[in-house]
């Protein structure tokens, strides 16, 4: 199926702007490009409360975190890890989406600004994601806890879900994985499909991996590639994938692995969408459709 009209129009506008692909940039330049793309989403909805805080990491680093509340009646907590290949992306860039998630689910959304590579390579992002989850659990001990993320953030959510089982961590009510990075094989059918070389292409994903985990042996760790781990005992999963995405095959493979290991999985593939559509709230209609799918599923899990 072809890309939808909104995505086609956006790509045409981006092509007019020109500029080299991310894989030809240094991280600082790539972050500037990513920020500009995030700015397209504009301002998210006004909420009951939005506050910035910090989380003390085990190594003494203070992890910035932003907490979004749509009301003063908390029904659950979503720890949301932003995407960006562990190299780009930020809480500020995802502010509009985080606000919309809080509004749509009426859950507190906890968005950590985990440390990025190459300044902080694997496993720093994993450590920060775990610390943020533990902080959320201790801050709202009586509320259902959900981990969520898109792309590299989906990778972190899946890793945290596995670690919570392995280390008897806080019980999780749900994991929401939006086109997650679950493996490191860049020669799958979806990786090699020319139709999938869009906002995220094979070359860019190789660039991300080379900055995050340059040692190929490191990528075999389940905390880098959840497909290498055992998801048995992890919470029910909502997996949202894009039809035109180099990561589609590994997303489907991880959904199948979870189902095989007894995890309840709901998988949806958004036709006509590309990798990155979810973060473009207020720009691509598919983003709002994904938010609605998440809200519906959260209502089912937590009780409408």
């Amino acid at each position: 199926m072809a890309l939808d009209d909104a995505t086609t129009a956006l790509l045409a506008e981006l092509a007019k702007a020109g500029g080299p692909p991310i894989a030809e940039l240094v991280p600082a330049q790539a972050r500037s490009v990513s920020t500009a793309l995030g700015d397209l989403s504009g301002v998210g909805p006004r909420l009951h409360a939005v506050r910035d805080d910090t989380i003390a990491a085990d190594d003494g680093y203070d992890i910035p975190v932003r907490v979004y509340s749509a009301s003063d009646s908390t029904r659950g907590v979503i720890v949301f890890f932003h995407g960006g290949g562990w190299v780009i992306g930020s809480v500020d860039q995802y502010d509009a989406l985080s606000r919309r998630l809080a509004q749509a689910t009426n859950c507190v959304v906890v968005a950590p600004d985990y440390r990025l590579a190459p300044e902080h390579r694997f496993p720093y992002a994993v450590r920060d994601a775990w610390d943020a989850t533990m902080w959320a659990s201790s801050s709202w001990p009586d509320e259902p806890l959900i981990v969520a993320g898109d792309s590299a953030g989906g990778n972190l959510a899946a890793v945290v879900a596995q670690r919570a089982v392995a280390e008897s961590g806080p019980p999780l009510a749900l994991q929401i994985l939006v086109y997650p990075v679950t493996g490191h094989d860049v020669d799958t059918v979806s990786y090699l499909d020319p139709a999938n070389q869009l906002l995220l292409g094979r070359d860019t994903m190789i660039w991300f991996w080379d900055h995050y985990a340059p040692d190929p042996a490191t990528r075999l760790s389940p905390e880098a590639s959840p497909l290498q781990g055992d998801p048995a005992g992890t919470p029910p999963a909502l997996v949202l994938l894009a039809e035109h995405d180099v990561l589609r095959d590994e997303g489907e493979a991880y959904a199948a692995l979870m189902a095989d290991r007894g995890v309840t999985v709901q998988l949806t593939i958004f036709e006509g969408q590309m990798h990155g559509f979810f973060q473009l709230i207020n720009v691509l209609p598919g983003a709002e459709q994904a938010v609605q799918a998440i809200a519906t599923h959260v209502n089912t899990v937590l009780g409408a």
Side-chain angles (χ1 to χ4, degrees), residues 6 34 53 64 76 83 86-87 127 168 171 181 206-207 216 228 244 247 265:
S34 178
D53 207 334
W86 312 282
V87 178
R127 292 174 181 172
S168 299
V181 182
I206 291 172
W207 184 87
Q228 300 294 321
H244 298 286
L247 302 182
V265 179

Side-chain angles (χ1 to χ4, degrees), residues 55 76-79 108 110 129-147 160 164 168-173:
I55 300 168
V77 178
I78 300 174
V79 185
V108 171
V110 174
W130 179 253
D131 287 341
T133 304
M134 295 297 289
W135 181 82
S137 177
S138 63
S139 298
W140 293 272
D142 299 323
E143 302 299 335
L145 184 62
I146 297 168
V147 290
V160 166
S168 299
L172 301 176

Side-chain angles (χ1 to χ4, degrees), residues 140-297:
W140 293 272
D142 299 323
E143 302 299 335
L145 184 62
I146 297 168
V147 290
D150 68 316
S151 195
N155 167 278
L156 296 176
V159 167
V160 166
Q162 287 192 19
R163 187 171 179 179
V165 174
E167 299 188 11
S168 299
L172 301 176
L174 178 66
Q175 53 184 318
I176 301 170
L177 312 179
V178 182
Y179 39 72
V181 182
T182 63
H184 55 276
D185 181 0
V186 297
D187 291 317
T188 64
V189 172
S190 62
Y191 256 111
L192 298 176
D193 188 343
N196 295 343
Q197 313 306 314
L198 302 167
L199 279 187
L200 177 71
R202 181 176 183 272
D203 290 346
T204 305
M205 199 63 218
I206 291 172
W207 184 87
F208 284 140
W209 272 115
D210 287 346
H211 282 302
Y212 181 56
D215 181 359
T218 302
R219 303 174 192 181
L220 294 171
S221 166
E223 294 207 327
S225 300
L227 269 170
Q228 300 294 321
D230 184 359
T234 61
L238 175 65
V239 181
L240 307 181
L241 306 179
E243 179 186 15
H244 298 286
D245 186 357
V246 294
L247 302 182
R248 175 177 169 175
D249 285 351
E250 64 193 67
E252 291 187 90
Y254 193 63
L257 177 63
M258 287 191 289
D260 183 65
R261 299 297 291 146
V263 178
T264 300
V265 179
Q266 178 172 314
L267 170 65
T268 301
I269 299 174
F270 285 79
E271 295 183 347
Q273 299 301 312
M274 64 178 173
H275 187 93
F277 81 93
F278 181 59
Q279 84 173 78
L280 292 168
I281 196 75
N282 302 327
V283 178
L284 298 181
E288 178 59 29
Q289 293 167 12
V291 168
Q292 289 297 329
I294 289 171
T296 297
H297 201 73

Side-chain angles (χ1 to χ4, degrees), residues 68-78 101-109 140-146 173-174 176 291-304:
Y68 302 85
S69 303
S71 72
D72 58 4
S73 178
T74 303
R75 65 191 298 250
V77 178
I78 300 174
L101 282 173
Q103 181 189 57
T105 63
N106 196 26
C107 289
V108 171
V109 172
W140 293 272
D142 299 323
E143 302 299 335
L145 184 62
I146 297 168
L174 178 66
I176 301 170
V291 168
Q292 289 297 329
I294 289 171
T296 297
H297 201 73
V298 167
N299 281 341
T300 299
V301 172
L302 302 186

